[in-house]
Structures are given as C-alpha cells and as structure tokens.
Amino acid sequence: MAEAPEGEAPGGVDVLSGAERTAPSDPECAQGAPSGAEGASGAKGALSGAERTAPSDAECAQGAPSGAERTEVAPTDAECAQGAPSDTDRRAMELALEEADRAALHGDVPIGCVILDAQGELLARSHNRREIDADPTGHAEVLALRLAAERIGHWRLTGATLYVTLEPCAMCAGALVNARIGRLVYGAADPKAGAVGSLYQLHQDTRLNHRFPCTAGVLAEASRDRLQAFFRRLRAEGQK
C-alpha cells in the first residue's frame, strides 16, 4: 500500500522536475547553442537526472521539443490497465472499501484490501493497521497476503487477484512480486509513492523474476473521497 501523503490525499499526476523549460530558438539551433542540460552548471532550467542530448537539425526544423523541454510525468491509470474491470472487480473493490472504512475507525489511513482466488472465492481481507499495531509493515496488502498464504498453506498465490483501494507502494509491490500474485486491481493512483505506474513499474520490471497485469482506477473516486475526508478531519483536529 502506498502511503498517502501527509495533509492531502493522492490524486492527479505528479510532474517531475518543476522548472519551466522552453525549446531553443532557431538561431540557437543553427549556432549549436547547448540545450539546458548541456549548458554550463548553474544555467537556469537545467534538468537533473536523466541523460540529455542537444536537439537534432530535424527537431529544430519541425519545431519538436528538445530533451530539456519535454516534461516527464508519471504514467496514467490507463497505462496500467490491462482491460476494463469486470463486475467481480467492482464487487471485490466494494469489499476493499469496507475494509478501508474499518481502518479509519482506529486512526489508520483508510486503505483496504481483499484477495480472491482463481475461482473468484474470497481468500483474505484486511486494512491498514500500521498505527494501531505500531507496525511499519502493517499495510493492507501485506496483511492480506499473509492471511491468504496462511489459508492455502503456501506462500505462492499463483492465480489470485489482489484488490486494494490505493496504488501499492514499493514495499507492497515487492511483496506482490514475491507472492507470485496473478493480478492486481487498485482504485486511486498515488503519484507520490505508487510503485505500479506512478513512480515505478515494479509489476512489469523485466529484471525481476515475476510480472503480473494491473488494472487501475476501479472505484477510484470512492477511495479518493475516503482519503480526503480522513485528512481533512486530521487537519481540523490539528494533527496534520
């Protein structure tokens, strides 16, 4: 479970690297002036991180943006989706939302999770318990994975589908890989901590020994509403 940002609920897409950038003018291209990333250190608008190259002549002629001008954004929910959600997906997410409501009752961020087996039968359901259990790993997905593995008597959850109301964080996405989960369905995206589309794509990382399909955005508004209400209440109480 990706941890919702303090003071606000997830939503939207984070834009990486904040400075505004503009394409070089034609004279700059003609004279071979360096782009933002190639210029002297301290030049305004230079991007950090990824390798960049000066725009080609074709880019200048066509008016295409240079490497420094392109804005990097997190993948959208549609990029994660592997097909439209089914009625089973919606019903399972409704159960996960019920679990999210239970988390809020004991002061935990309202995130819930359920796991169905390959036949659509309920294997496990859980919700955030990090605060009440003082457990750094007490995310809804991790707890549900433990319950499901205990029920079937094996750590491999091949063929199972995990439903969670918020995009999983890196820890939870890694747990899904290790559990050999069959499929992931989540509700709201988490642009600040999500690891299956927003910040990372651990579910499709070819360097890992397991990959799984992901469907995003199922009942996302209902999940987002719960998160926003939770943090509004905390702010009103002076806790955030």
Side-chain angles (χ1 to χ4, degrees):
M1 166 215 70
E3 180 62 27
E6 293 190 358
E8 61 175 301
V13 177
D14 260 7
V15 177
L16 306 181
S17 304
E20 181 180 356
R21 302 164 194 88
T22 57
S25 63
D26 289 339
E28 284 181 307
C29 292
Q31 296 168 17
S35 63
E38 287 185 36
S41 59
K44 294 182 179 179
L47 285 174
S48 61
E51 180 181 356
R52 302 165 195 88
T53 58
S56 65
D57 292 339
E59 284 182 304
C60 292
Q62 296 169 14
S66 68
E69 185 196 6
R70 297 186 185 97
T71 301
E72 299 177 34
V73 297
T76 63
D77 286 350
E79 289 179 281
C80 181
Q82 302 290 321
S86 65
D87 289 339
T88 298
D89 291 341
R90 293 186 180 88
R91 288 194 297 269
M93 191 61 74
E94 288 171 355
L95 292 179
L97 288 168
E98 291 178 6
E99 288 295 320
D101 291 337
R102 293 177 181 176
L105 293 177
H106 49 71
D108 273 281
V109 177
I111 298 170
C113 177
V114 302
I115 300 177
L116 305 185
D117 66 15
Q119 288 71 46
E121 297 297 320
L122 182 65
L123 281 179
R125 56 189 296 172
S126 192
H127 54 268
N128 271 13
R129 295 185 58 88
R130 189 173 71 164
E131 299 295 337
I132 193 172
D133 292 342
D135 179 4
T137 67
H139 293 193
E141 300 95 312
V142 171
L143 300 177
L145 287 170
R146 290 172 182 166
L147 292 171
E150 181 180 359
R151 178 169 180 178
I152 67 173
H154 201 282
W155 60 269
R156 287 180 180 269
L157 298 179
T158 306
T161 300
L162 183 142
Y163 298 83
V164 63
T165 56
L166 182 67
E167 180 183 359
C169 67
M171 176 183 72
C172 294
L176 294 176
V177 171
N178 286 322
R180 307 295 192 267
I181 200 72
R183 177 175 173 245
L184 167 67
V185 180
Y186 71 82
D190 187 349
K192 293 188 177 180
V196 290
S198 291
L199 298 183
Y200 312 102
Q201 293 79 44
L202 294 184
H203 66 303
Q204 291 296 315
D205 194 322
T206 57
R207 296 168 296 181
L208 302 178
N209 60 0
H210 178 69
R211 289 172 291 282
F212 52 87
C214 168
T215 300
V218 178
L219 302 185
E221 185 175 355
S223 174
R224 194 176 298 114
D225 288 347
R226 283 164 169 79
L227 291 163
Q228 291 173 341
F230 177 80
F231 286 107
R232 275 197 303 267
R233 179 174 61 80
L234 290 186
R235 288 195 296 272
E237 296 173 354
Q239 297 185 45
K240 290 292 182 181

